[in-house]
Structures are given as structure tokens and as C-alpha cells.
Amino acid sequence: MIEANLKVYRYDPQTAQEPHYDTYEVKELPDFATVLDALIKVREDIDGTLAMRCSCRSAVCGSCAFRVNGHAKLGCKTKVSTLAPDGEEICVEPMGNMKVIKDLVTEMDIFWDKLKQVKPWIETVGEPPEREYQVPAAKMVELQQPMNCIMCGACVSDCTVLEEDSKFLAPAALAKAYRVVGDPRHGKTKEWLTDLSEEGGIWDCTRCLECVEVCPKDVAPMDQIIKLREQAIEEGLTDNIGAKHVLHFTESVAHTGVLDERMLPIKAAGWGWAVKNAGIAIKATLKGKIKPLLPGSHPSVTEVQDVRRIHEELEEGKRK
Amino acid sequence: MIEYDVLVIGGGLAGMSAALHAGEVGASVAMVSKVYPTRSHSAAAQGGINAALGIEDSWEVHAYETVKGSDFLGDQDAIEILCRDGIQDVFALEHWGVIFDRNEEGNIHMRGFGGTDKSRTCHVGDMTGQTILHVMYERLLRMNVKSYDEWFVTTLLMEEGACCGAVAMDITSGKLEVFKAKAVIICTGGCGRVYEPSTNGLIVTGDGLSLAYRVGALLMDMEMVQYHPTTLPANGFLITEGARGEGAYLLNSEGERFMQEERYGATTLEEKASRDVVSRAETIEIQEGRGIDGCVLLDCRHIKDRILEAFHQISELAIDYAGVDITQDPLPIRPGMHYMMGGIKTDIDGRCYRHNGDGSEPLPGLYSAGEAACVSAHGANRLGGNSLLDCVTFGRKAGVHAAEYASSINSPNISEAVIEVEEQKIVDLFARSTNERAPALRLEMGEIMHTFTGVFREEAGLLEAERRIHAVRERYPEVSVHDKGRVFNTDLLAVLELDFMFDCAETIIASALARKESRGAHTRTDYPERDDENWLKHVAVYHTPDGPAVTYLPVTITKWQPEARQY
Amino acid sequence: MRVAYFPGCVAKGNCPELNQATQKIAPLLGIELVELTGAPCTGAGVLQAQNPVLADTYNAKTLALAEELDLPLMTICSTCIGCLRKSNQKLSEDEGYRAEVNAVLKSGGHEYHGGVDVTHILYVLIKELGLDNLRGMVKKPLTDLRIAPFYGCYILRPASIMGIDDPDNPTSMERVIEALGGTPVDYYGKTRCCGFPIGLENEEASFKMAGKHIGEAKDKGADCMVTPCPLCHMNLDLQQPGVSQVVGRQLDMPVLHLPQMVGLALGLSPKELGFSKHIISAQGVLAKVGA
């Protein structure tokens, strides 16, 4: 038997303007008890007014994502004994990036709305076959990773871009988009990727890996976003800053082995960007931080010939 | 007042299938679910969905094995539809995007499951239910089907003997609304939480069973409660039958594969026999002292590669909740309450029935599908892999028929005033200042049900259960709500759900008392034999002021006459 | 100790003071830097979106160069360590994939066998040098200096690849700050994203991210921030004037590279550590430690 010391975020819009925290000592929990088990015990035995969502208790329904000690976690997959081996206080709060309805219950509209926005269904083209579509076994297995998403919202809660830009589609919806776009039965890949390349889409992810870290189901949303980027480039959807950023990055490295960060933004974002940033660029140049754009100011790595060879071979291979 | 042609209560696989198809044939349709639809318990189905797609297999073999699995209690017209028409439903799921595992040719791969030596269970790793549920949900988004998420239905509405809507509470605000509908389809799943422990999620509280029962619908085969052979002792979590389908062994404390013993009647299929057979054998092993802390062992060590390849979820569950790496050590498991074969009696079009004289008659406007319903495709014991199929196929049929029915009748006439009755009930609940708590009563009920209406039953125990459940229910008026607010009041929901669960418990016990024989999941130690002469019939119960009353309905037999059941 | 030194593009490009400071402190710490002059860029998670195999092959080349020297590979950039470790994990664990990559690599005379230790100077200080040793080397303790560590994403996440510090509640930077006599400032944003990677695509969001963390560190009374990642440094220092404008707040927060902070405590001069190259003057900080 173990104990859990919980500090729980409480907010009731009917009685209070501001949230507060309540602490609970939860005794006689089984050794394998999860944070959710402890919260259920609070609700059942100590304080029936605590509101939260939960159902399956085995990480398939996706109901019980909370912020536990500051990071989004699935309550039923987070063990008390791992988190607080010596009875340390465990702080449970509602998910981030969402409005709180009551206590640990957040408004999930933002999650479902973004999901709808990516059109999370496959559109086959032509008459379907009489039986199943024949598709490669390995492809179906690959799609299990994004399909594993239980829509708990943990990644949306902790998404760093969404925090600053509500237009961002955020990790869950984008991972789901890859589940569609990556499906060989889907007939409208380019159409989907065109939409996904818009503002707030695949190119706005900052690759901070928060979603990869907090996802309780190993969906690795960011990895799915990178795959969407790759596919968008392959489909020739390169008339945007994000894709240009990638293409010029690759080109720069292929040229010298080292990225030339002075030229990359200009090539990706245009001379307008250069004009806008001229002030800071001049200041940095005068301080000796940024080297002036002169011939020979961007030396190559010593094995640059080999780098170029590798690039040619693999880009050639990819085109095939 | 909100108005639709067809109102679907429950957003799991059956509900989604019903809503989708009702919409496709032109009805205005809405789904009401007390959780976001993807939270529904269909997501927890791990192993797969059956379809006889193999060249060495046929729908007739699947149907025969389903009949045999049902211990000949299943209605064979329904079983034929399930196994024959279900094949197209599985293809439809594939066309909509379910990422079924494939074989080398790129066709759907099928695995072995219980009750058959064929491989006919289509699957997505061990997350089949989740995948199908999510793909179906995506389909609903595509079709723009309206879904009232986190709405809780408190009562069905009747007008001139027909069901014409429901009153539901928006959980977020606590406000009640009237939903007027020409047809209502109940797809609320089973009632696993009536038992403790159970593999079921906390939301599986039998709401729909009780809602229908209270407006006069017959509940059928309620005594047929499936105990799944492999659940974790710590919390009742499910370990898929697919593991045994792939060849995992069951061992007793002596290290013996006891399923090979003659007396368990499964010398051919051994561990892959039907669930009722395996759960009984395990219980006997444990009772006779060859268990380990109330468990037997599931040994996956010799199929390690398959486990690593296709059973991520159960590997994780075993590590998280039993501390066992199943590729290295055998896993302690035991039978656990899992599924209700019984439910709201329907015909093959999903129509519900009520008691009438010596028989039954349709209850106009009311439909049901999925685990909430009893069509009865599973009879006395369901085969693994048949429940997802049941949801999809009979969900579709109920949706289509309800839509057609709705197009044939006029808009019902109901008054907004019905809300006040429901509102008053809630106000009364808030006013209680007594000391009983819903979770405590539920736990008592669950333990009573597990003790007396589990794998083995007998008269004295069932009467004891009846007495004790009655005593617990007597305390229901003393149950109070601590949370007095209206916004997202889960405390209030627990009290409302508890009331529904009592109906389920009572009807299970009444049905189990009635059936004086052993068949499928219903094993009476005082009547250990199957008795086709007297009991090849369904037990059905209906609501009376004095509690459930029993009646009997015939079993539909088309092709397969009862025979001795050996695996 | 000897390490195969991988400075990365930025420490040789827009943050030359980082390479400079590292080169200065290494001999004082007893670290011999064997620079991998032939090693290409890690792809920084950008190139990976065009051709992930190309990125892995570049990294395999770098890993092979370290392997040939039989040395651990030390980076001074969160992004570099993250990308190198991700490739390294895949190449070391997946034999088939390694063979595929080596097939390309071999024409250039290299082959990677797997298992090189990829680390960062932060972890070298803690695990190889040891904090007690570091403490013993301090000449000018950073007493009275309140320092807000800013980790950068890739040095912590995902734990399945990094696995060195706790991504939820890391302590490495704090322990180094304490060993140098400084006072770490705790704040939520220390493990969040600086915003740099979307500076071109979504400048407003990018700057708001940087501004939020700098502002939070300031509110918690930090005299300066310190980062183990030059990409973070670019958004936090180089872009700070723009960031200040976007968040509507004068931030004036000096941002140090980790090796600069170590250098100050070891008694090196601001000039030797390249402080003059910063956009936001660190004069106040330097005065506090008497440098």
C-alpha cells in the first residue's frame, strides 16, 4: 500500500472568480496506483465535488489528460510510485491551451475543431473494389503510429506554438493529417497537403518536441509533421517560406557542408526580410558577430567533396 | 426543443454506425453521448472483428461456430445476417480507412480467436476497436452528422405508446433539454460497472438498458454475462483473446496446460475454446487449489516475436499493472466480467419489443443496437471478435430501419413540460442531506454481483443476491450529492447512473433465477446440465412496480439443430 | 580528457563567440578538443524534412569520424546533440538501416559501426569532469549573480533519445550554475521552446515565445540567462530588440552561452569570451562578477 499527496487545481465558475488549490492525503492505494486512481479515490471517498473526466483507466479512451507537475500526462498512465517515490506532493492541474470548465475539466472544442479542420478522413477515388484495397503491409503498420492517438489532448495542452498562435493546427490534428495523407488509399494527397501548407499548418511547427515527450501513446506527432513536410515538398508544394527554408538549407549544406545562416533567410523569406532586418544585421556585423557577406567568408568543411557526393547520391536516389 | 427524425443515444461503434446509416438514407439524425464519442468503450476492444474472408472459410462456418458458441441460444436469423452481411460491413470499414493489418499480398490479415480453428479475426495490432471507432468518427465528421457530446439522457419520452424522444442534460452547463424524435436508437453499450471488478470503463453503467426497461421494453438473455478468461487481477483490465489465438498457453500452478484435460471438453481447441468454457475451467482450477493468488498463468513466452510485433498494448498493460514482461514471464490472469450477451430485445431490424399477453409486440419508435441490444446474435456466449461486428452490422440495420420508420410517421406531439419532472428529480437529489454515497453503494452492488452471479451460480446464492441488492437499493433514497452546482457535476451523474445500474442488477438476477439449467455463460451448479427440452428459449424480463417480471420467448432456429458442445 | 569536437554551424557562423569561448575554457578544464573539421551539418531537423536518409548519412559521417578517433563526440549545441543522437540511435539499433547508410558512406572512405557516445559540453562538465572538480577550478565565483538557465528543446527531449536529464524537471544547468557560485533562477519557461525554428515562417509567434521566457526570467529577478544552445541564443539575444517590440516590453536581458559563463568563473576576460559580440550588453553582469 502506498500514499499519494495531491495538490489539485480547483475552479468552480459558479462560486468563485479565481482558481485555488486543495491538498488531499490519499491513503491505502495499491502499489501500482496511478494518479487517476488517486484522484478517483479523492472523488469517491474524500471530496465528491471534484470534477474530472475518466473512463477506461487503461490509456485507450483518452479522457484523463491533466497537467501533472507542470506537464501534460495521462492520469491513468502515470504511476504515483514513479512520480513520488517518497510521498512527494503531486500537483495536478487542468490541461494548458484550453479554457477550464471546472476543476480538471477543460473545454476541448479547440481540439475537435482543429481535428475537423484537417479533414481527418480518407477520400478514395473511383469505385471501391469488391473486397478490400490491396495495400502494402508495412505501410499499414507505419500508419499505426499516428492511428495510436487516443485524442487525449496532451500534446495540444503543451504545444508551445499554440500557446502564442491560436491559428496553429497543433500536433494531434497534424498527426491525424499524416494518417490520412500517408494512407495509400487516399486519393487526394495533393489537395490535403495544399491546405496543410497554409498558414497555421505544417510549417508553423517549431519542432520543440514537447508533443513527442508528452504523448502517452508514442504517436510522436512532430515526426508525423516532418513526414508531411517531406511529402509536401515531394508534391512540389514549395511556394512558401517553410518549404523554401528547407530547400535552401539543404542546398547550402550540400554546397559547403555548413549552413550559411546569413543567406538562408534571404533565400527563404526574400529580400523583404533582408530589408526589414537590415538594422540588426548591420549592428551584428559591426560587432563582429556576423561576418560580412564577402567571398570566402563562409568556409567549407575539409571533406566538402564527400559531402557533395553524399548529397548527390541520395537526392538522386530519392528522385528515382 | 431540439427535433430530429432519428435520435441515437450513445456514441460508440453501434451508435455511430446507426447515425451514419440513418443519415445516409436521408433522415435528420443526431447522436447524444455522455462522453466525446471517441471515449466510448468500443475503443477498448483489442483483438479484432470477425469476417469469413479466407478461402478455407465461409460465412456458414462462421455462423455455425457462432451458433455453437451461443450454446444454441442465439437466434439463427440474426446470426446469419451477422456472418453473411457482416462481411460487406467489414469491407466498408476498410474502404473508409481502417488500417487493417495485411498479409504479404496486401490483403487483410486474419488471426485465430476463440471458438474456432479458423483464422477470421481482422485486426489492427491490438487496437482494433480504437481504430474502427476513430475511423467511424471521422466518417461522421465527413458526413457532418450532429453529435451532442457530453449530454446525459435522463429519460425516454413516450406518446401514445410510442417512443418519441428523450430528455437530456448538457453536462457542461447542467441544463436539461427536450429532444423530440420520431425514432430513438439506444446504443449505450453494456453495464459492466454493475460488477466489480470488470474490464469495462467507468462510463459503462447500463443507462440505456434501464431507460428502455422503464418505458416497457423487454430485456432478454440478461442472465448471460460473459466472463473473459484473461483479465488482470489488479484492476480487471483485459488481455486480448488474440494472445491465445496466436498460441499462448494457460498454465495452472503445477505448470500444466489444464485446457488439455478431457473434463473441460476442449481437447481439440484447448486454450482457444469459447470464453465460457475457458473461464469455467480456470475457475475450477483455482477453486481446486491449482491457482496462484486466485489466478492462473497466461504464458506467451514461446510466441514472443508475435507479441512484440502485434501486441503492444497488452505488453504495456502487463508491465504497467502487473509488473510482468510477458515475453519473459507468464502473466497471472483470471476470469473477469467483460460483456453482456443480454440486453434490450430487438429483432433483426433493431426494433425493440414490449410484453403483450403471453408474447411480445414491437414498441414503436424504439430501437437498439450493439451491446445494449439483444438481437440475439450471441445467445448464451459470444465469440470473441463478434461484438465489433454486431455493433457495425446491427447498428447499420437499426439506423436504416429507424430512418425509414421515421419517414412514415408524423412528428410526435410532446410538451416542453416534461422537463419539469426531470428537473424536479434533480432538485430533489440536491436537497438530500443524507449520508450515503453513490460510489460506496456501487461497490457493494458490484461485489454482490461478482460473488453470486459470476461464473458459477446456484439458487441459494441468487436469492441471497436478490435480497442483498434489494437492501442496497433501499438505501438509494439516502444517497446524497455533495456537489450542488450545475456545471460539469460528475457527482450528480454518479447518483443518476447508480439508479440505472440497480435495474440492470435486478434484471440479471431475476433472469438467472429463472433459467434452471446450465447453458453458455450461465452455469448453475444446482442444474449442471443443458436442458434443451425445457430451456431452449429466451428468458425475457419486463418492468413492473414489484420489480422484474419474467416471460419467455422462442429461439429462432434456421439451419442448425442443438447438439452436444465439444471444443 | 580528449573529445571529438563538433562545434556545429552556428558556433562557427552567427555565434562565433561560442566557439571562441569553448576553445578558451577547454584547456583550463583539461579537455582536449580534437575538432572534426570534415564533419557536415546535422540537418538541424530542417534538412530531415526533405530527405531524412541524407540527414542520417551526414550524421553517420560525423559519427564515423569520431569512431575513427575512438573518442566521444562532444557538441556545444542542443540542436546538434539532439539530431546526432537521434541518428545515432537509429543507426546503432537498426542494423539493416546502418548497412543502407554505410553503403553510401563507404565510397567516401568511412563506415559507421554504431555506439559512439554523443554528448554536450554541459554533460561533459557534470559526468566527465565532475562538479566538485569544476568547483575547485573556480577563480571568480558568480556570487550574487542570479542566472536563469534556458535549456533548449533538443538537449532534453525526447527522453527516449536523450535520457540524460529529466525532461520535466531538469537540473543539469542549475547544478553547473551552483558549482560556479551563482544562484539559479527557476521559471516555467526554462524547458520550453525559444521560438527560433519558426522565425521565418511565423515571426510573431517565434518572438512571442522568446519574449515570454525572457520576461518570465526577468520577473523572477534574473540578472542574465544562460543557454547551452546557440540557436536559442540567436532568438534570445540577436533578435531581442525585435522580440522586445513584439511583446511591448523593454527586456534588456543579457544572454550568456554556457561556456561563457564557465569562462567567467574560471577568470577569463570578457574579451577572451567574445562578450563584445552580443547584441544585448552583458556589462552589468560582468561588473557584478568583477570581470
Side-chain angles (χ1 to χ4, degrees):
Chain A
M1 287 288 174
I2 56 170
E3 270 184 46
N5 291 298
L6 302 180
K7 177 180 163 192
V8 182
Y9 176 103
R10 302 300 307 272
Y11 170 65
D12 185 347
Q14 302 156 111
T15 57
Q17 300 280 315
E18 294 294 322
H20 68 279
Y21 289 83
D22 281 338
T23 56
Y24 302 100
E25 268 178 56
V26 192
K27 297 192 192 307
E28 290 183 17
L29 286 164
D31 294 344
F32 60 83
T34 61
V35 169
L36 179 65
D37 291 327
L39 288 167
I40 290 175
K41 210 162 155 74
V42 168
R43 191 170 73 175
E44 294 196 342
D45 299 349
I46 305 174
D47 185 349
T49 67
L50 177 65
M52 62 176 168
R53 297 185 176 104
C54 56
S55 177
C56 77
R57 301 162 297 137
S58 54
V60 292
C61 79
S63 302
C64 68
F66 313 117
R67 268 195 173 156
V68 179
N69 291 345
H71 299 267
K73 292 189 191 306
L74 212 53
C76 69
K77 217 176 180 300
T78 308
K79 282 198 191 164
V80 170
S81 59
T82 320
L83 212 57
D86 300 312
E88 294 92 336
E89 187 171 78
I90 298 171
C91 179
V92 188
E93 295 164 304
M95 284 192 279
N97 282 329
M98 297 170 212
K99 216 180 118 200
V100 178
I101 295 173
K102 180 168 188 272
D103 299 339
L104 300 176
V105 178
T106 54
E107 218 176 83
M108 293 281 290
D109 299 24
I110 186 173
F111 184 94
W112 306 110
D113 289 349
K114 288 179 187 299
L115 185 72
K116 280 174 211 163
Q117 227 180 310
V118 302
K119 296 182 286 181
W121 52 80
I122 69 165
E123 292 277 0
T124 53
V125 172
E127 276 297 299
E130 266 180 38
R131 292 173 62 98
E132 68 270 47
Y133 284 93
Q134 285 189 313
V135 284
K139 192 70 200 178
M140 290 293 105
V141 172
E142 188 214 331
L143 292 176
Q144 277 187 17
Q145 193 179 27
M147 197 77 229
N148 214 10
C149 171
I150 53 172
M151 312 204 186
C152 67
C155 61
V156 171
S157 159
D158 284 19
C159 175
T160 55
V161 176
L162 185 62
E163 205 170 287
E164 306 303 340
D165 183 355
S166 59
K167 287 192 300 297
F168 184 47
L169 284 168
L174 288 169
K176 180 60 80 181
Y178 179 71
R179 171 267 171 282
V180 174
V181 170
D183 194 315
R185 293 167 294 185
H186 183 59
K188 297 187 174 171
T189 305
K190 193 162 185 174
E191 191 183 317
W192 258 240
L193 284 167
T194 304
D195 290 350
L196 290 165
S197 298
E198 295 290 316
E199 206 182 327
I202 53 176
W203 298 108
D204 279 27
C205 163
T206 185
R207 294 179 282 111
C208 71
L209 290 153
E210 286 277 9
C211 59
V212 177
E213 187 60 39
V214 301
C215 174
K217 298 297 282 186
D218 197 26
V219 170
M222 187 195 97
D223 291 355
Q224 314 306 328
I225 296 172
I226 301 296
K227 286 192 238 171
L228 286 169
R229 289 180 177 182
E230 189 184 352
Q231 240 175 313
I233 291 172
E234 264 171 41
E235 291 282 348
L237 298 165
T238 53
D239 191 22
N240 57 65
I241 296 177
K244 284 186 201 159
H245 186 162
V246 171
L247 294 174
H248 290 297
F249 189 110
T250 307
E251 182 191 278
S252 174
V253 175
H255 191 57
T256 60
V258 186
L259 173 68
D260 186 348
E261 310 144 278
R262 300 166 306 172
M263 284 310 292
L264 178 68
I266 301 170
K267 285 185 170 173
W271 284 98
W273 184 92
V275 171
K276 194 176 156 209
N277 286 275
I280 192 75
I282 291 166
K283 188 170 181 184
T285 310
L286 290 174
K287 281 179 169 275
K289 185 171 176 60
I290 297 182
K291 281 173 268 179
L293 278 169
L294 298 170
S297 65
H298 182 64
S300 303
V301 298
T302 54
E303 298 192 22
V304 65
Q305 295 306 334
D306 194 34
V307 172
R308 285 177 194 166
R309 180 193 61 80
I310 292 171
H311 172 262
E312 270 162 40
E313 210 168 300
L314 287 170
E315 274 296 282
E316 190 64 26
K318 196 167 165 114
R319 272 191 291 276
K320 279 180 195 153
Chain B
M1 197 176 308
I2 301 164
E3 187 172 351
Y4 291 94
D5 291 339
V6 177
L7 181 70
V8 179
I9 303 175
L13 201 48
M16 287 190 196
S17 183
L20 202 58
H21 288 98
E24 266 181 1
V25 297
S28 72
V29 57
M31 211 164 70
V32 174
S33 169
K34 66 176 175 178
V35 290
Y36 290 113
T38 60
R39 314 283 184 234
S40 303
H41 203 65
S42 310
Q46 295 164 345
I49 181 165
N50 291 339
L53 310 180
I55 38 171
E56 73 297 349
D57 200 1
S58 70
W59 76 261
E60 288 95 342
V61 177
H62 181 195
Y64 164 70
E65 287 175 347
T66 301
V67 171
K68 181 179 168 187
S70 83
D71 218 348
F72 298 90
L73 187 68
D75 285 320
Q76 296 180 11
D77 53 343
I79 292 173
E80 287 189 26
I81 289 167
L82 183 80
C83 301
R84 187 186 59 228
D85 300 1
I87 290 175
Q88 282 311 316
D89 286 310
V90 171
F91 286 141
L93 292 175
E94 197 279 334
H95 298 160
W96 293 345
V98 173
I99 51 164
F100 286 117
D101 285 0
R102 305 288 158 152
N103 58 23
E104 278 170 12
E105 290 78 47
N107 294 319
I108 294 177
H109 177 270
M110 288 166 287
R111 65 164 56 121
F113 238 56
T116 177
D117 61 356
K118 301 275 188 279
S119 290
R120 76 163 71 94
T121 306
C122 312
H123 56 95
V124 182
D126 56 359
M127 47 184 247
T128 315
Q130 178 188 327
T131 309
I132 296 177
L133 184 74
H134 287 203
V135 168
M136 191 77 104
Y137 179 66
E138 290 152 17
R139 193 80 188 167
L140 285 176
L141 294 180
R142 181 175 176 275
M143 305 292 292
N144 223 357
V145 173
K146 175 72 185 168
S147 178
Y148 291 85
D149 303 334
E150 300 192 322
W151 283 67
F152 184 88
V153 174
T154 61
T155 190
L156 296 179
L157 298 174
M158 297 290 288
E159 191 63 38
E160 293 173 7
C163 183
C164 57
V167 176
M169 180 171 74
D170 176 0
I171 296 171
T172 301
S173 68
K175 287 209 182 80
L176 293 170
E177 280 275 6
V178 175
F179 285 77
K180 183 158 93 167
K182 294 176 184 170
V184 174
I185 311 178
I186 295 186
C187 304
T188 53
C191 60
R193 299 305 297 167
V194 167
Y195 282 74
E196 181 66 36
S198 161
T199 62
N200 291 190
L202 305 181
I203 57 172
V204 188
T205 51
D207 308 355
L209 299 178
S210 173
L211 289 169
Y213 176 66
R214 289 178 188 186
V215 296
L218 283 165
L219 303 185
M220 189 168 86
D221 296 347
M222 288 297 284
E223 72 279 22
M224 300 304 176
V225 180
Q226 182 163 74
Y227 270 64
H228 193 289
T230 50
T231 71
L232 292 181
N235 41 24
F237 290 172
L238 175 68
I239 300 295
T240 176
E241 184 166 285
R244 277 171 296 130
E246 299 278 355
Y249 300 146
L250 290 169
L251 307 177
N252 61 18
S253 61
E254 313 290 306
E256 296 157 345
R257 284 181 62 195
F258 55 87
M259 284 311 299
Q260 295 176 326
E261 285 176 35
E262 196 92 33
R263 62 171 173 156
Y264 295 133
T267 47
T268 309
L269 286 185
E270 302 168 340
E271 282 88 350
K272 286 167 65 182
S274 275
R275 290 178 177 172
D276 58 332
V277 175
V278 180
S279 285
R280 255 192 310 275
E282 290 178 358
T283 308
I284 291 169
E285 289 296 313
I286 294 163
Q287 281 174 354
E288 291 182 356
R290 287 182 301 281
I292 300 157
D293 298 329
C295 292
V296 291
L297 299 170
L298 180 71
D299 188 355
C300 301
R301 290 174 296 186
H302 57 291
I303 52 162
K304 189 162 118 179
D305 293 344
R306 274 305 286 157
I307 293 287
L308 291 173
E309 205 172 75
F311 294 95
H312 306 280
Q313 203 179 97
I314 62 165
S315 311
E316 242 176 71
L317 286 175
I319 286 178
D320 283 352
Y321 304 107
V324 173
D325 174 354
I326 54 174
T327 64
Q328 300 296 323
D329 294 296
L331 176 70
I333 49 85
R334 66 181 183 192
M337 191 279 173
H338 179 57
Y339 183 85
M340 289 297 294
M341 271 73 74
I344 307 163
K345 187 240 170 335
T346 71
D347 60 20
I348 53 170
D349 290 316
R351 287 189 296 177
C352 299
Y353 284 75
R354 65 183 157 214
H355 180 61
N356 176 24
D358 278 344
S360 62
E361 62 172 20
L363 198 166
L366 191 61
Y367 291 76
S368 181
E371 192 177 341
C374 178
V375 54
S376 137
H378 312 303
N381 171 68
R382 175 177 65 81
L383 292 191
N386 271 356
S387 67
L388 292 177
L389 189 62
D390 175 11
C391 290
V392 178
T393 301
F394 287 106
R396 167 175 59 77
K397 288 184 71 73
V400 170
H401 200 276
E404 284 166 0
Y405 166 79
S407 72
S408 73
I409 64 160
N410 294 325
S411 181
N413 185 17
I414 49 176
S415 112
E416 193 86 43
V418 290
I419 268 191
E420 276 148 42
V421 181
E422 294 306 297
E423 177 66 29
Q424 192 56 46
K425 280 188 209 161
I426 290 169
V427 170
D428 290 348
L429 282 176
F430 281 135
R432 292 182 190 174
S433 56
T434 41
N435 283 326
E436 293 284 4
R437 296 285 295 151
L441 264 58
R442 191 210 64 84
L443 184 64
E444 281 184 51
M445 166 170 57
E447 286 172 350
I448 294 165
M449 295 301 285
H450 178 65
T451 306
F452 299 107
T453 67
V455 174
F456 290 104
R457 296 127 178 225
E458 43 99 26
E459 179 104 9
L462 290 169
L463 289 170
E464 179 67 15
E466 191 180 48
R467 194 186 60 73
R468 289 203 204 172
I469 290 293
H470 183 71
V472 178
R473 193 168 200 170
E474 293 257 281
R475 284 150 60 199
Y476 182 73
E478 308 294 313
V479 171
S480 65
V481 185
H482 281 183
D483 187 349
K484 308 288 186 195
R486 295 306 285 259
V487 173
F488 222 98
N489 188 336
T490 49
D491 201 29
L492 172 65
L493 293 185
V495 178
L496 297 172
E497 288 169 341
L498 179 65
D499 198 24
F500 291 151
M501 282 190 274
F502 282 126
D503 283 343
C504 300
E506 286 177 0
T507 52
I508 291 169
I509 296 168
S511 304
L513 269 167
R515 185 175 290 280
K516 293 182 169 52
E517 63 152 356
S518 291
R519 183 185 296 271
H522 176 71
T523 310
R524 290 278 300 252
T525 51
D526 43 354
Y527 300 95
E529 299 301 322
R530 193 176 85 192
D531 175 4
D532 289 333
E533 203 173 313
N534 295 304
W535 290 100
L536 191 59
K537 59 186 178 188
H538 296 288
V539 173
V541 293
Y542 56 95
H543 181 258
T544 74
D546 304 323
V550 175
T551 183
Y552 298 96
L553 299 172
V555 173
T556 305
I557 292 175
T558 57
K559 292 192 173 76
W560 300 281
Q561 291 303 319
E563 58 187 47
R565 190 160 164 254
Q566 283 286 325
Y567 282 103
Chain C
M1 71 176 294
R2 293 179 86 211
V3 294
Y5 175 50
F6 182 83
C9 307
V10 186
K12 292 236 152 171
N14 284 358
C15 288
E17 69 279 5
L18 170 59
N19 180 41
Q20 184 184 330
T22 309
Q23 301 274 6
K24 290 286 177 195
I25 65 168
L28 300 181
L29 298 168
I31 301 170
E32 187 187 336
L33 304 176
V34 184
E35 187 171 336
L36 300 180
T37 54
C41 170
T42 64
V46 178
L47 192 149
Q48 278 82 348
Q50 185 176 344
N51 191 335
V53 181
L54 176 60
D56 283 336
T57 309
Y58 283 163
N59 289 330
K61 180 181 168 70
T62 303
L63 292 162
L65 289 168
E67 192 176 57
E68 286 156 20
L69 294 168
D70 197 16
L71 291 176
L73 180 58
M74 188 187 85
T75 64
I76 49 173
C77 166
S78 296
T79 309
C80 291
I81 187 180
C83 291
L84 282 163
R85 281 181 78 101
K86 185 167 187 178
S87 295
N88 194 26
Q89 188 178 65
K90 197 163 177 211
L91 290 163
S92 298
E93 283 172 6
D94 186 342
E95 215 169 303
Y97 186 62
R98 187 165 74 237
E100 191 187 314
V101 166
N102 272 330
V104 181
L105 215 53
K106 274 177 186 163
S107 319
H110 298 291
E111 184 179 358
Y112 184 51
H113 301 89
V116 160
D117 179 24
V118 180
T119 185
H120 183 285
I121 192 166
L122 172 63
Y123 299 132
V124 168
L125 292 176
I126 293 175
K127 295 172 83 168
E128 309 303 330
L129 181 66
L131 291 173
D132 287 338
N133 286 332
L134 179 64
R135 205 171 284 118
M137 292 170 176
V138 171
K139 296 237 169 61
K140 284 189 179 164
L142 309 180
T143 321
D144 299 334
L145 209 55
R146 293 177 55 79
I147 306 168
F150 190 85
Y151 280 86
C153 304
Y154 285 71
I155 203 167
L156 296 171
R157 291 184 291 267
S160 57
I161 287 170
M162 290 309 303
I164 303 176
D165 205 342
D166 177 355
D168 285 358
N169 187 22
T171 56
S172 305
M173 294 277 282
E174 284 82 348
R175 287 155 66 203
V176 171
I177 292 167
E178 278 167 356
L180 301 176
T183 306
V185 173
D186 192 31
Y187 64 114
Y188 183 70
K190 70 183 181 183
T191 62
R192 303 286 277 178
C193 179
C194 70
F196 176 77
I198 50 165
L200 298 175
E201 290 82 356
N202 189 344
E203 186 183 273
E204 190 182 336
S206 168
F207 283 9
K208 277 183 179 171
M209 286 154 90
K212 177 181 274 184
H213 310 318
I214 300 170
E216 194 192 354
K218 198 177 173 76
D219 294 340
K220 295 275 173 122
D223 297 308
C224 65
M225 294 169 82
V226 61
T227 177
C229 179
L231 278 69
C232 296
H233 196 271
M234 284 201 278
N235 232 32
L236 299 175
D237 175 69
L238 179 61
Q239 297 286 19
Q240 201 181 110
V243 167
S244 282
Q245 265 182 3
V246 167
V247 298
R249 178 178 178 186
Q250 200 52 42
L251 293 164
D252 280 329
M253 174 64 74
V255 185
L256 278 56
H257 295 284
L258 172 68
Q260 288 180 316
M261 175 178 74
V262 174
L264 282 180
L266 297 182
L268 293 170
S269 72
K271 187 159 182 267
E272 286 172 294
L273 297 168
F275 272 99
S276 61
K277 294 186 169 66
H278 287 205
I279 296 300
I280 305 301
S281 166
Q283 211 47 54
V285 172
L286 299 174
K288 262 197 174 177
V289 296

